[in-house]
Amino acid sequence: MIVQYYDSQFDIPDILVEKYAKDFECLPGSGQYESIRQLRDSVYDILDAVAIEPDLVEEKEFMSDFIQALAMKQALAKHGILYDA
């Protein structure tokens, strides 16, 4: 899956998105609002770091975290829990 983030495109393995989607399938309707909020905040902390400092994606270690955060974001969106209603 190709994900556009600001002026760059990133190839996110579909299997990674599906893994997180499966991991998160119990969250919708679970009432675990605080856990979901913390998960979303963690994902956005990583994405915001790249927005502030785009050169971070050139670091191999951070790039792995960034790709995982993008996959988690896609999985949360798939379940409709990326944003509060």
Side-chain angles (χ1 to χ4, degrees):
M1 165 184 300
I2 301 297
V3 175
Q4 179 84 23
Y5 191 73
Y6 286 93
D7 294 334
S8 299
Q9 292 184 343
F10 299 91
D11 187 15
I12 310 302
D14 291 333
I15 195 165
L16 187 58
V17 174
E18 290 305 316
K19 176 204 175 299
Y20 286 121
K22 184 174 169 121
D23 289 348
F24 300 158
E25 68 188 1
C26 64
L27 294 177
S30 68
Q32 297 181 29
Y33 306 114
E34 185 61 25
S35 296
I36 294 168
R37 185 194 61 76
Q38 288 176 354
L39 179 59
R40 284 192 308 234
D41 287 350
S42 296
V43 167
Y44 278 109
D45 285 347
I46 293 170
L47 299 180
D48 289 346
V50 171
I52 293 167
E53 185 82 32
D55 292 339
L56 283 174
V57 294
E58 294 177 17
E59 296 178 22
K60 183 179 179 181
E61 205 171 283
F62 188 84
M63 182 61 156
S64 175
D65 292 343
F66 180 69
I67 294 297
Q68 289 183 47
L70 286 173
M72 287 180 196
K73 181 181 176 199
Q74 295 299 316
L76 290 168
K78 182 176 184 174
H79 287 297
I81 56 174
L82 181 60
Y83 303 107
D84 287 333

